[in-house]
Amino acid sequence: MRILVCISNVPDTTTKVKFSTDQKSFDDGGVQWIINPWDELALTRAMELKEDASNPVSNVTVVTVGSASAEPTLRKALAIGADDAIRVDAVSSDAYFVAAQLAAVAGSGDFGIILCGIESSDYNGSSVGGMISEIMGIPSVSAVSGLKLEGEEVVITRDIDGGREELSVPAPFVGVVQKGIAKEPRIAAMRGIMMARKKPLQVVPAADAESYTSYKEFAMPEPKAPCKMVEADNVKELVNLLQNEAKVL
Amino acid sequence: MSVLVYTENWDGKFKKLSYELLSYAKSVATLVGGDVNALSIGKVNQDELSSLGNYGASLVLSADGTPSGLDNQVYTEIIAAAMDKVGARILIMAHNNSGKALAPRLSVRLKAGLAAGVIAVPESVNPLVVSKKVFSGKAKGKVEILTEKAVLTLSQNSFEINETAGTASVESFDSGVDLAAAATTIKDVQKQEGKLLLTDADVVISGGRGMKSGDNWAPIEELATVLGAATACSRPVSDEGWRPHDEHTGQTGKIIAPNLYMAFGISGAIQHLAGVSSSKCIVAVNTDKDAPIFESADYGIVGDALKVLPELISEIKTVKAQ
C-alpha cells in the first residue's frame, strides 16, 4: 500500500504576521517556512506505519502545491523519511483549487491512504482534505487521532461526543488528522538530510481548476482590552466579574 | 434566496451551537431576503424540532433515520438532498468536528465556495463577502465567494443567540439516501459519563506546568465537573505524560474556542495562545506577573494555581447553589 501525505508550506508558527501596505496580501518578507504542523504529524505517522514491517506499506510520497520556493519544505519532508516528493507547479489561490491539484496527483498514483492535516496554520481553511475526497468520490474520515493497519484493514480512532470511537474504512480514503495521530513530529537526522538530496522530487504542471473563493483584504484584530487583575486573596471578586460582567458562568 | 442550517443534536437534544447557527442564519437570511430552513438528522421529538422556530427557523426538515455514525459520504448526500429540496443558496454549519468533516465535501458537491470559521454576518451579499480569522487568530481576512452558492461554517461562540417568537413547521424528510451504503464501519465506541468533546465544549479548564505534577489535577477536574466543562492542558504537560495527549491545546494540538477558557499555571507561549485565543473569555492564574498569558487574558490573578483553585471551586459552588 502506498501513502500520500499532503503538505502545506506555511510560515513558522512564531512569525509576526504582516500584510502588504494595501492589506491585500500576506507580506512574506523574512518569513521562515515550515511543514504545516498537522501535516508533519501525518507524515510522522506515515513513517511509523511504513517502518513497522508487519504493515503492508511500501512507499510514502509527499506532495505540495506551490512555486519552487516551496521545495526546501518538501526536502525537509524527504529528510524526515518520505521516499519521494511531488510539487505541483502552481500558486495556490484557494482551497478548491489546491484540492483539485492534489486530487489529480492522488488519482494518478495507486495511493491507498491519503493524509492531510486538520487545517493549515496560515489560512485556517480546514477544507482541503474533505474536498480531495469529494472530488475523487472516495471516503473521508476527519478529526483522526489514531491510525493503524490490521493486515490490509485500516482502523481509525476519532473523538466523538462523550468519548471516542474506532472505525474501519476501505482504501483508498482521505484521512484528515489532528493531534494524537503521532505523539510528536519527527525531526530529521543528519543522515536523513544527506539522503534527502538524492531522493526524487518531481515537478508536475497544474491541472485545470477554478477558484471558488478569493481573499479581498486582511486586517489585524482590534487591540484587546487590558487584562483585569484580581488579587489572589479575592477570588470572590473574580467569580463576581465572571458572573455579572463577562456573564460566562 | 433561502438559507439552510445543518443543526446538531446529542441524544435527541439540540446542541447550543444549533441555536447560534440559526440566530446567525436569521441575520444572513434577512440580508439576502429569504427564509431560514433547518435540517435535523437523527431521532429528535416533535416538540424539540418545532422549538427551532424560536431561533428563526420557518421550516424544519427532520431526517429521522439514524445513521450509526458520522459517515461523511452519507451525511453529505443527505445535506445535499436537503439543499435541493428547499432550493437554498447558502448552507450554514458549525466550524466544529462535523462541520470541518462535511463542509468541504458539500462545497465540492454543491459547487459552492466555502468560507470556514466565519466570525460575522456578511458585509455584502452581492458578491457575498464574509470575515474569518486567519493565521490562528493573529489576523482577520475578508473572503469573497465567487460561486453562486456558498457554504459558511460559523466559528464557535462568535454570534449571540437571539430568541424570537416564531414558529416552525416540521416536515419529515426522506432524503432517499441508503444509510446502509456507508463506507465506514464503526467497530468500537468508548463513552465516558460526563466526558465532553474538548473541541466543542463551552467551558474548558486547562492546566500547565504551574500545576507542578500530574498528581495535582484533582481540583482541575473538580472545577470542570462543577462547571460542566472539558479539561485541557498545555504542551509541556502532555509531553511530561501528566495528562493524555488528546488534551493538549495549542498550535500543534487541539484548537478550541469555548465561551470560557480558564488557564491555571500556563505561561502562554505563542503556540499555546494560537490554539485558544479565539475563546470568548480567558481567565489566567499564574505566579509570574509578566507571563504572556496575561496579555491575552480578560481576567487574571497573579498567584499559585494550587492555592487559588480550591477557593475558586468553593466560591463557584456557593454562587451556583444560590
Side-chain angles (χ1 to χ4, degrees):
Chain A
M1 189 183 295
R2 291 160 58 91
I3 301 179
L4 180 68
V5 182
C6 303
I7 302 267
S8 190
N9 180 38
V10 298
D12 183 88
T13 51
T14 55
T15 301
K16 194 156 169 46
V17 174
K18 302 186 300 284
F19 298 102
S20 59
T21 42
D22 64 2
Q23 299 288 307
K24 288 191 190 308
S25 58
F26 175 65
D27 177 357
D28 62 5
V31 167
Q32 296 284 320
W33 297 87
I34 59 165
I35 303 173
N36 179 44
W38 294 278
D39 302 346
E40 201 172 24
L41 288 173
L43 174 60
T44 300
R45 185 60 189 147
M47 296 321 305
E48 289 168 0
L49 289 172
K50 188 191 166 197
E51 286 157 10
D52 182 342
S54 64
N55 289 327
V57 175
S58 58
N59 184 280
V60 175
T61 301
V62 288
V63 59
T64 196
V65 177
S67 65
S69 65
E71 288 193 6
T73 297
L74 278 181
R75 288 282 172 207
K76 192 180 163 202
L78 291 170
I80 288 170
D83 297 292
D84 51 15
I86 299 170
R87 176 171 69 82
V88 179
D89 189 24
V91 175
S92 65
S93 51
D94 89 324
Y96 178 76
F97 175 84
V98 170
Q101 306 308 321
L102 296 171
V105 169
S108 69
D110 180 25
F111 298 105
I113 301 177
I114 299 152
L115 297 179
C116 297
I118 194 158
E119 69 173 59
S120 62
S121 58
D122 47 8
Y123 297 100
N124 311 134
S126 325
S127 310
V128 168
M131 286 180 173
I132 295 171
S133 64
E134 185 66 24
I135 293 169
M136 297 179 75
I138 59 175
S140 59
V141 184
S142 297
V144 171
S145 56
L147 171 62
K148 60 183 177 182
L149 289 166
E150 290 177 358
E152 290 283 339
E153 188 188 8
V154 182
V155 178
I156 278 173
T157 310
R158 71 174 170 196
D159 296 347
I160 54 166
D161 285 325
R164 54 180 47 195
E165 67 187 8
E166 265 195 359
L167 61 158
S168 162
V169 57
F173 78 100
V174 176
V176 180
V177 312
Q178 65 172 349
K179 177 74 182 187
I181 182 86
K183 269 192 165 176
E184 286 189 43
R186 187 174 286 196
I187 294 161
M190 186 48 76
R191 186 178 136 79
I193 295 167
M194 301 297 286
M195 282 169 66
R197 292 182 192 160
K198 296 194 187 107
K199 286 180 178 172
L201 191 162
Q202 188 192 351
V203 179
V204 301
D208 215 14
E210 53 190 317
S211 291
Y212 283 3
T213 57
S214 159
Y215 275 96
K216 307 311 295 173
E217 200 181 296
F218 296 94
M220 302 313 282
E222 292 83 24
K224 221 188 81 23
C227 182
K228 269 195 189 170
M229 301 308 290
V230 176
E231 292 300 321
D233 56 4
N234 196 4
V235 168
K236 208 178 173 79
E237 173 61 9
L238 176 65
V239 173
N240 174 41
L241 287 167
L242 293 178
Q243 191 178 28
N244 298 313
E245 186 177 82
K247 298 188 184 347
V248 288
L249 280 188
Chain B
M1 285 203 293
S2 72
V3 175
L4 180 74
V5 173
Y6 168 62
T7 64
E8 292 181 37
N9 68 81
W10 187 11
D11 289 341
K13 292 284 171 208
F14 286 112
K15 296 183 187 176
K16 189 186 134 222
L17 64 88
S18 299
Y19 306 134
E20 266 172 38
L21 293 175
L22 284 165
S23 303
Y24 178 76
K26 183 70 185 170
S27 298
V28 175
T30 306
L31 281 177
V32 300
D35 292 328
V36 175
N37 305 279
L39 171 66
S40 163
I41 300 180
K43 290 238 179 308
V44 178
N45 72 38
Q46 284 293 318
D47 286 350
E48 185 76 4
L49 288 167
S50 47
S51 75
L52 295 181
N54 297 337
Y55 302 93
S58 50
L59 172 68
V60 180
L61 296 180
S62 169
D64 60 3
T66 44
S68 59
L70 176 65
D71 181 275
N72 292 344
Q73 285 170 300
V74 166
Y75 273 68
T76 297
E77 295 285 345
I78 298 172
I79 299 169
M83 284 291 283
D84 272 354
K85 159 103 180 162
V86 297
R89 182 190 154 199
I90 301 174
L91 171 62
I92 294 174
M93 317 178 78
H95 191 58
N96 64 355
N97 270 3
S98 45
K100 288 177 191 177
L102 301 172
R105 296 201 75 125
L106 283 151
S107 167
V108 172
R109 170 64 61 92
L110 302 167
K111 290 194 171 30
L114 166 60
V118 303
I119 50 176
V121 289
E123 65 164 47
S124 86
V125 171
N126 262 322
L128 191 63
V129 177
V130 288
S131 284
K132 66 171 296 242
K133 288 189 180 169
V134 292
F135 295 96
S136 307
K138 288 182 207 166
K140 298 190 293 187
K142 286 181 185 168
V143 181
E144 179 179 338
I145 306 292
L146 305 171
T147 48
E148 174 65 27
K149 290 182 184 167
V151 180
L152 308 180
T153 63
L154 181 68
S155 188
Q156 199 182 348
N157 287 314
S158 58
F159 203 77
E160 294 286 330
I161 293 173
N162 291 324
E163 277 205 55
T164 63
T167 49
S169 53
V170 177
E171 228 176 79
S172 173
F173 176 58
D174 179 4
S175 61
V177 177
D178 180 7
L179 300 181
T184 51
T185 319
I186 309 293
K187 288 170 69 95
D188 185 35
V189 178
Q190 289 167 359
K191 286 202 179 187
Q192 246 174 291
E193 195 63 45
K195 166 110 174 154
L196 290 159
L197 191 62
L198 174 56
T199 46
D200 283 6
D202 219 29
V203 180
V204 174
I205 311 298
S206 189
R209 226 202 292 255
M211 294 298 294
K212 299 193 178 80
S213 155
D215 299 331
N216 292 338
W217 239 258
I220 295 256
E221 285 175 336
E222 188 183 354
L223 182 57
T225 307
V226 171
L227 291 173
T231 53
C233 69
S234 66
R235 176 158 180 179
V237 166
S238 63
D239 284 353
E240 291 283 346
W242 294 358
R243 297 296 290 175
H245 278 275
D246 60 10
E247 283 199 359
H248 163 207
T249 48
Q251 178 94 60
T252 56
K254 301 259 170 75
I255 308 147
I256 58 170
N259 208 24
L260 173 61
Y261 180 72
M262 300 182 95
F264 294 93
I266 293 179
S267 61
I270 191 166
Q271 289 89 347
H272 182 77
L273 295 174
V276 304
S277 63
S278 297
S279 307
K280 198 165 171 194
C281 178
I282 297 179
V283 175
V285 177
N286 200 296
T287 47
D288 176 7
K289 68 175 172 46
D290 297 321
I293 187 89
F294 290 120
E295 282 162 39
S296 293
D298 300 282
Y299 301 100
I301 288 181
V302 177
D304 184 348
L306 292 170
K307 292 202 179 101
V308 172
L309 268 163
E311 288 175 42
L312 192 57
I313 291 165
S314 116
E315 184 60 29
I316 288 176
K317 276 184 177 165
T318 310
V319 167
K320 289 252 165 198
Q322 282 165 9

